[in-house]
Amino acid sequence: MAATRTFSIIKPDATRRNLTGAITKKLEDAGLRVVASKRIHMTRDQAEGFYAVHKERPFYNDLCTFMTSGPVVVQVLEGENAVLRNREVMGATNPADAAEGIIRPRRSVQDDGAGVGAAPAGRGGGRGGGAGAAPAPLPTGAATGERDQER
């Protein structure tokens, strides 16, 4: 199988807790290579545009507020079946459903267990949604399908 690329975000709760290196190491230990990485502070306009697909959902405002609450680290990851591998390392959105040794339950301070986001698997067009600070469990994902590329 050809190497693929996917987009991932290390979210404000994890960067605030200085977990960027630990999360990146976990991704690299799983066979993913970081081919690009940048620490940014999303503007409200960027967050609203990025998560526009969720504009009508009840968590949209809280998500945008959370994603602009501090710096995030955006990364392009590369490896065999990168989207699936990234999702496996992150674990289930609901910490109660998560396997041992994955990122979400150990890395998040949020009820929904997200400290990271990933590109949606098998989804073209439209933007995925990242888990944010809303009280209800939120869908994961943080990129458009065209960002997942075969290499």
Side-chain angles (χ1 to χ4, degrees), residues 4 7 34 42 46 51-52 62 75 82 85 89 92 102 115 147:
T4 56
F7 179 80
V34 177
M42 286 181 128
Q46 287 172 324
Y51 294 103
D62 288 340
Q75 297 178 321
R85 186 164 294 170
V89 172
I102 54 85
R147 291 186 185 149

Side-chain angles (χ1 to χ4, degrees), residues 8 10 19-37 73 75-80 82 85-86 89-90 103 107:
S8 180
I10 300 175
L19 297 172
T20 301
I23 290 171
T24 300
K25 181 177 181 342
K26 190 110 177 134
L27 294 166
E28 290 174 335
D29 288 349
L32 294 166
R33 186 170 69 93
V34 177
V35 296
S37 182
V73 176
Q75 297 178 321
V76 177
L77 307 173
E78 182 177 78
E80 296 294 320
R85 186 164 294 170
N86 187 28
V89 172
M90 284 189 311
I103 293 173
R107 301 288 187 234

Side-chain angles (χ1 to χ4, degrees), residues 103-128:
I103 293 173
R104 278 194 170 115
R106 298 180 322 136
R107 301 288 187 234
S108 178
V109 296
Q110 297 192 30
D111 290 339
D112 63 9
V116 290
R123 191 152 77 169
R127 288 201 150 90

